[in-house]
């Protein structure tokens, strides 16, 4: 699921999504389920999408000239990025970038709910954070969001709903209010919530099926995003699972995050070896799992169209190396690498510098990952059945 207000939101979908995969030491996730173009792209198009040094210089020069003229360096840089043709390129002002960096540490401003768009276009609440504004207002998982500050959200991309919830387009801060129209059954009510600074719960763990003292009942590990510490949380959950218990790793709606955390999560299931390869301006590099992971426990990975970026990297590694059966629908297809650069006036530009590939050499960008078992309805139920068939309990 998209996580608390899809983690960060964005002023524009492309701008938010540009932070979803970075192999540098900073940056985070954003963007939303099914809201971006997903056309098939070949090698030539991939090569064209990598920003050249001339593109980077043009963006920096545009910002510097605008600042010198007393204009907005951010807006000038945005125009330059748009002209570059970089599909994932984006520019962030200082406030936005600070928010993204804070989000890497697992904090965000919002109301404490996760939402997903259903097949019929409605927006349903999938999780409510304990102690958050939404929980205090009595909102529960399964409720439908019908309006946000008077704006109808039916049929709207989750990214748009995220921006409304967070107040990104108005610069809303903690303490500001947002009015939600919430439907439960046939009753719709209005709730006024006050946004707060919250800490994300990126990883949650629970048993599947009835508890038995001698149980090898499967363990469900849901990972909403790869913020700091989430990879270790996955590894700890696997270590603490009962002997013989299978793992259902739910990456639906996980829009990515820190690749280092995804690699740590992969290390929970692998005994070293390749996780992914990637290129930065043509220079080939590789990411490897740590040795000592659990290689015997049955694993099923649950994915959907909101599984992006670092989450796709993890999915591809476990699928290609035969470590897990993947179930669900095709993933988003965000496999490009962005790196940040500071501009005049304090804004930050993100331009694409390369692409990553799975251990078998498959490109993800624009293609996504096709699961071993493609299902669109009752996906978790089907995944649990597969896990049980693998001997992982249920």
């Amino acid at each position: 699921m998209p996580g608390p207000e899809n983690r960060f939101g964005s002023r524009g979908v492309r701008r938010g999504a540009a932070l979803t995969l970075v192999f540098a030491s900073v940056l985070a996730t954003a963007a939303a389920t099914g809201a971006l173009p997903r056309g098939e792209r070949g090698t030539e198009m991939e090569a064209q999408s990598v920003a050249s040094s001339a593109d980077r210089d043009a963006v920096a020069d545009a910002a510097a000239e605008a600042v010198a003229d007393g204009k907005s360096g951010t807006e000038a840089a945005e125009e330059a990025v748009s002209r570059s043709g970089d599909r994932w390129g984006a520019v962030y002002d200082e406030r936005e970038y600070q928010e993204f960096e804070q989000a890497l540490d697992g904090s965000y401003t919002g109301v404490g709910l996760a939402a997903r768009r259903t097949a019929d276009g409605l927006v349903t609440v999938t999780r409510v954070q304990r102690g958050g504004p939404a929980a205090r207002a009595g909102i529960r998982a399964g409720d439908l969001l019908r309006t946000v500050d008077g704006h109808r959200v039916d049929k709207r991309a989750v990214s748009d709903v995220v921006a409304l919830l967070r107040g990104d387009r108005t610069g809303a801060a903690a303490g500001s209010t947002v009015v939600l129209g919430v439907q439960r059954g046939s009753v719709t009510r209005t709730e006024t919530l006050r946004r707060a600074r919250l800490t994300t719960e990126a990883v949650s763990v629970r048993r599947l099926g009835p508890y038995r003292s001698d149980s090898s009942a499967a363990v469900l590990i849901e990972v909403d995003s790869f913020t700091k510490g989430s990879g270790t949380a996955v590894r700890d959950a696997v270590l603490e699972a009962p002997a013989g218990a299978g793992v259902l790793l739910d990456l639906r709606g996980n829009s990515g995050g820190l690749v280092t955390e995804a690699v740590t999560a992969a290390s929970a299931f692998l005994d070293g070896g390749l996780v992914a390869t990637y290129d930065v301006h043509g220079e080939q590099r590789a990411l490897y799992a740590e040795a000592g992971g659990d290689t015997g426990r049955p694993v099923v990975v649950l994915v959907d169209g909101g599984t992006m970026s670092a989450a796709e990297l993890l999915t591809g590694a476990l699928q290609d190396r035969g470590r897990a059966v993947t179930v669900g629908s095709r993933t988003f297809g965000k496999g490009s690498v962005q790196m940040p650069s500071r501009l005049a006036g304090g804004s930050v530009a993100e331009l694409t510098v390369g692409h990553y590939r799975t251990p078998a050499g498959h490109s993800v960008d624009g293609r996504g990952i096709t699961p071993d078992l493609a299902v669109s309805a009752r996906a978790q139920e089907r995944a649990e059945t597969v896990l049980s068939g693998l001997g992982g309990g249920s």
Side-chain angles (χ1 to χ4, degrees):
M1 63 191 144
E5 282 89 72
N6 211 37
R7 260 84 54 192
F8 314 129
S10 64
R11 294 195 316 188
V13 177
R14 182 175 62 87
R15 289 164 54 80
L19 289 180
T20 52
L21 180 62
V22 176
F23 290 87
S25 60
V26 295
L27 295 191
T29 68
T33 304
L36 296 177
R38 297 197 44 172
E40 293 290 334
R41 299 170 61 199
T43 303
E44 290 183 358
M45 291 188 72
E46 289 175 355
Q48 291 171 2
S49 70
V50 176
S52 66
S53 58
D55 291 329
R56 296 194 302 276
D57 290 344
V59 172
D61 290 345
E65 291 174 5
V67 170
D69 292 339
K71 301 177 182 178
S72 169
T74 302
E75 292 179 1
E78 286 176 342
E79 292 179 5
V81 169
S82 178
R83 289 194 297 269
S84 75
D86 187 343
R87 179 189 183 208
W88 297 106
V91 180
Y92 303 86
D93 63 32
E94 287 185 278
R95 184 191 64 81
E96 289 174 319
Y97 197 70
Q98 182 181 34
E99 183 77 11
F100 291 139
E101 289 186 308
Q102 289 173 342
L104 282 178
D105 292 320
S107 65
Y108 70 103
T109 298
V111 298
L113 63 81
R116 177 182 295 155
R117 190 173 59 188
T118 64
D120 53 2
L122 302 179
V123 177
T124 183
V125 176
T126 56
R127 178 180 294 177
V128 178
Q129 186 167 335
R130 291 187 300 272
R136 293 194 297 271
I139 296 173
R140 300 200 305 246
D143 289 347
L144 294 176
L145 283 182
R146 306 313 298 261
T147 60
V148 178
D149 281 338
H151 301 281
R152 292 191 61 85
V153 297
D154 297 352
K155 310 294 184 181
R156 296 185 70 159
V158 175
S159 57
D160 290 339
V161 181
V162 167
L164 291 171
L165 286 169
R166 293 175 50 84
D168 287 335
R169 293 182 175 92
T170 59
S176 60
T177 58
V178 57
V179 181
L180 306 186
V182 182
Q183 179 179 339
R184 182 178 302 163
S186 60
V187 178
T188 300
R189 70 187 193 277
T190 299
E191 297 286 351
T192 300
L193 281 62
R194 194 172 295 278
R195 298 181 180 95
R197 195 71 192 173
L198 301 170
T199 301
T200 60
E201 298 173 337
V203 180
S204 60
V205 184
R206 64 179 175 87
R207 292 282 189 93
L208 291 172
Y211 178 81
R212 303 185 299 274
S213 60
D214 61 346
S215 176
S216 60
V219 174
L220 172 65
I221 303 176
E222 295 176 283
V223 187
D224 291 341
S225 61
F226 285 108
T227 54
K228 288 182 180 177
S230 58
T232 298
V234 171
R235 187 173 58 193
D236 290 346
V238 173
L239 289 172
E240 294 168 4
V247 169
L248 177 55
L249 183 64
D250 190 350
L251 300 179
R252 290 176 297 175
N254 183 320
S255 56
L258 291 170
V259 170
T260 52
E261 297 295 337
V263 172
T264 298
S267 299
F269 306 101
L270 300 171
D271 186 15
L274 186 64
V275 173
T277 59
Y278 65 102
D279 60 278
V280 175
H281 295 309
E283 180 184 347
Q284 300 301 309
R285 306 180 187 181
L287 297 165
Y288 295 94
E290 297 178 7
D294 187 329
T295 59
R297 191 184 299 275
V299 181
V300 171
V301 180
L302 192 54
V303 298
D304 67 4
T307 304
M308 297 177 63
S309 175
E312 291 177 285
L313 181 149
L314 172 58
T315 301
L318 298 182
Q319 183 184 61
D320 280 5
R321 296 188 55 184
R323 186 60 191 90
V325 176
T326 53
V327 177
S329 52
R330 189 175 67 162
T331 63
F332 186 86
K334 170 66 170 67
S336 57
V337 184
Q338 283 75 44
M339 286 189 175
S341 59
R342 291 279 180 183
L343 303 176
S347 57
V348 176
E350 286 290 323
L351 294 178
T352 301
V353 296
H355 300 86
Y356 78 78
R357 289 173 172 77
T358 68
H362 301 302
S363 175
V364 174
D365 202 49
R367 293 183 172 86
I369 295 172
T370 301
D372 301 310
L373 175 61
V375 296
S376 56
R378 303 170 69 179
Q380 182 168 329
E381 181 179 329
R382 297 288 299 277
E384 290 182 29
T385 299
V386 171
L387 188 59
S388 179
L390 296 174
S394 61

